[in-house]
């Protein structure tokens, strides 16, 4: 039996709450690692395509979280873009030293956002 | 003859510049009208679905502009979401008094973002 | 004996970590309550001076948290402004029904930011 | 005779409009140069203290512009912080090749924000 409030055609409330948490964590981890670990390491950690991914991923995750926090009806448009960008950011981080936390945050966020899309 | 620098499969530089301008203008107009005209008018101007559209539309337009300013490779993911949200925001503003500038900014931004998508 | 890493003239690391958490919580609570409780209640909850405080407070708290997450040397400039804006936001929320969580978040954030300033 | 609408103790409307434009320009120039010129140049252009200044300066300029666009009563708190951060960002950019546009944007924004403070 489902103990979670659920309206037909909508997402269970707990799924959205988890997605908000995953987006906020990913936004914070990407920004913090870009501005600390990546800048301090230099070299491939500040290669333009990688660094741009980190910063735009962080910004998009935050707006996606805000859309869900605001009960915005079109949150799926943002979740779709966010899921894709997080997936690419995870892939870019996987090739670099010391980015495990960022890979994990991006992977979780990508999956949570994908789960918000209407099947 | 085309005088604009263009790489096969990419967008003409002038199209992206125009899209950046349209996104920045839309972000500013939505935020400013929400925080001034809408709050001062009250009533339907601060109905939750309308007001949320104005705020999230403004935020998404800004991140979409940032993605293009940063030469971010996945900017199309953001342009797709931004085009859709702007379209809805224009529709929501059309029903309300004194929102002509916002309707115009959202319509232009929606079209510019749609034009950035690969056909 | 102090077990926390501390450099003369700098803040204990734990103080900054707590301030980051307080800023991120305040940013989220202000935005979420503005976009849900305030818009749904209407009346004095969407009075322009109150609502503007909620939105700008949320934005400033986020940038202040980002400055500290990025180990930005001039974070005190942001903490000073943030402490003052949060204090005013707490005062504005105190007069309205159902804003206890926001009063609490703003008060904590205001104090944490004030504690980051060099005496 | 003063042809600009002015309330005793407040700023002339034209001063605030100029300050908003300067903040928005500075936010855009700092972000765009960080994500393009600085990342592409590497070396001292991505030294952590310089790069953090560029990113936080861009974010703070945007929130300061938003505060004025929203007619936020406490905009001086943000203008004070913004003026100081822009001043430091201009100084940091002055030492690096090809950053003239950023030096100019930061200097103008710093002065405009300082002019918003009550004497």
């Amino acid at each position: 039996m489902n103990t979670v409030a659920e309206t037909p055609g909508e997402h269970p409330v707990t799924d959205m709450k988890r997605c908000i948490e995953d987006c906020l964590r990913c936004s914070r981890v990407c920004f913090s690692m870009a501005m600390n670990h990546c800048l301090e390491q230099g070299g491939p950690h500040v290669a333009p395509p990688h660094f741009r991914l980190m910063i735009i991923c962080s910004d998009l995750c935050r707006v996606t979280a805000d859309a869900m926090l605001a009960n915005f009806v079109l949150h799926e448009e943002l979740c779709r873009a966010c899921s894709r960008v997080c997936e690419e950011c995870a892939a870019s981080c996987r090739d670099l030293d010391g980015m495990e936390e960022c890979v994990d945050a991006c992977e979780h966020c990508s999956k949570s956002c994908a789960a918000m899309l209407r099947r």
Side-chain angles (χ1 to χ4, degrees), chain A:
Chain A
M1 201 186 115
N2 192 348
T3 58
V4 174
E6 191 169 358
T7 317
E10 294 189 356
H11 308 292
V13 170
T14 50
D15 284 2
M16 189 175 281
K17 282 193 178 166
R18 185 185 159 179
C19 191
I20 293 170
E21 297 308 323
D22 287 343
C23 285
L24 290 175
R25 179 182 163 229
C26 193
S27 176
R28 172 190 184 146
V29 169
C30 285
F31 181 77
S32 180
M33 291 206 80
M35 302 303 280
N36 292 286
H37 182 68
C38 292
L39 288 177
E40 285 157 10
Q41 291 293 307
H45 286 79
V46 291
H50 170 70
F51 204 89
R52 290 165 183 162
L53 255 173
M54 300 282 287
I55 295 294
I56 303 298
C57 185
S58 172
D59 282 349
L60 180 55
C61 285
R62 187 185 57 79
V63 180
T64 303
D66 280 353
M68 289 183 284
L69 283 170
N71 273 311
F72 180 55
V73 285
L74 296 175
H75 67 272
E76 292 189 25
E77 303 295 328
L78 288 103
C79 287
R80 184 175 293 110
C82 196
S83 179
R84 180 83 182 89
V85 170
C86 286
E87 190 183 21
E88 286 295 312
C89 195
S92 179
C93 292
R94 234 173 260 127
D95 297 333
L96 297 170
D97 286 341
M99 303 292 288
E100 293 78 9
E101 189 184 1
C102 206
V103 172
D104 182 69
C106 289
E107 284 177 348
H108 272 86
C109 191
S110 181
K111 278 177 201 162
S112 293
C113 283
M116 298 304 292
L117 305 179
R118 249 176 269 268
R119 272 126 305 213

